[in-house]
Amino acid sequence: MHKELRVAAYAVCVRDGSVLLARWIAGDGSKRWTLPGGGMDHGEDPYDTVIREADEETGYTVEPVALLGVDSLRRRYPRRLGAVADFHGVRIVYEARITGGALRHETSGSTDLAAWHPLDAVAALDRVSLVDVGLTLWRDRPVAGHVS
């Protein structure tokens, strides 16, 4: 079995009762909302990753203001030639504030839209689990930085 580890950093940006989300395009073409962010480049600090990724996906310049926590997920999925991948994602979640830029959509990337969504409307969105994890970390501020 092929083992894959992906470390990524994400931003929870809440302003005026709304959260900033990016619409992720999965490999099968389906689209779901996620937190702005993504994979770290080799040698990159996660703090710098979240700033870069938020800019790429939303057009905004962000400043991470608090480390909310770390989430981990593991899943298996099929690979070419009948192989199976054992995927482990480590997701570092920051609270961030907008310091500049303007809302725009990513082109030629893993997302196609960026938008503000009212917090009370998030539950009705087609979204990845990371959105709920990030908002729980933001709301509850668990001391250990982990959602049960």
Side-chain angles (χ1 to χ4, degrees), residues 50-63:
V50 75
I51 293 168
R52 175 181 55 77
E53 286 282 346
D55 177 59
E56 288 175 6
E57 294 181 354
T58 70
Y60 285 120
T61 303
V62 303
E63 176 187 15

Side-chain angles (χ1 to χ4, degrees), residues 9-13 19-22 34-38 50 53-55 57-58:
Y10 295 91
V12 176
C13 299
V19 62
L20 179 63
L21 299 176
T34 189
L35 296 175
V50 75
E53 286 282 346
D55 177 59
E57 294 181 354
T58 70

Side-chain angles (χ1 to χ4, degrees), residues 119-131:
L119 287 168
D120 60 3
V122 170
L125 295 174
D126 192 10
R127 65 198 183 283
V128 300
S129 63
L130 178 62
V131 173

Side-chain angles (χ1 to χ4, degrees), residues 54-131:
D55 177 59
E56 288 175 6
E57 294 181 354
T58 70
Y60 285 120
T61 303
V62 303
E63 176 187 15
V65 295
L67 175 61
L68 295 175
V70 177
D71 182 61
S72 180
L73 103 116
R74 194 166 175 196
R75 64 182 168 88
R76 292 181 178 190
Y77 67 91
R79 297 192 69 194
R80 288 185 299 224
L81 304 175
V84 174
D86 179 4
F87 175 82
H88 181 197
V90 177
R91 306 178 301 184
I92 302 163
V93 183
Y94 291 92
E95 177 180 16
R97 68 180 181 90
I98 308 297
T99 60
L103 183 65
R104 64 150 172 72
H105 310 304
E106 182 176 29
T107 57
S108 303
S110 61
T111 65
D112 68 346
L113 291 176
W116 290 94
H117 296 273
L119 287 168
D120 60 3
V122 170
L125 295 174
D126 192 10
R127 65 198 183 283
V128 300
S129 63
L130 178 62
V131 173

Side-chain angles (χ1 to χ4, degrees), residues 22-63:
R23 194 171 69 175
W24 173 65
I25 306 166
D28 65 3
S30 63
K31 298 177 181 183
R32 293 178 287 162
W33 292 99
T34 189
L35 296 175
M40 289 175 44
D41 291 335
H42 181 78
E44 186 176 37
D45 188 282
Y47 185 93
D48 298 324
T49 300
V50 75
I51 293 168
R52 175 181 55 77
E53 286 282 346
D55 177 59
E56 288 175 6
E57 294 181 354
T58 70
Y60 285 120
T61 303
V62 303
E63 176 187 15

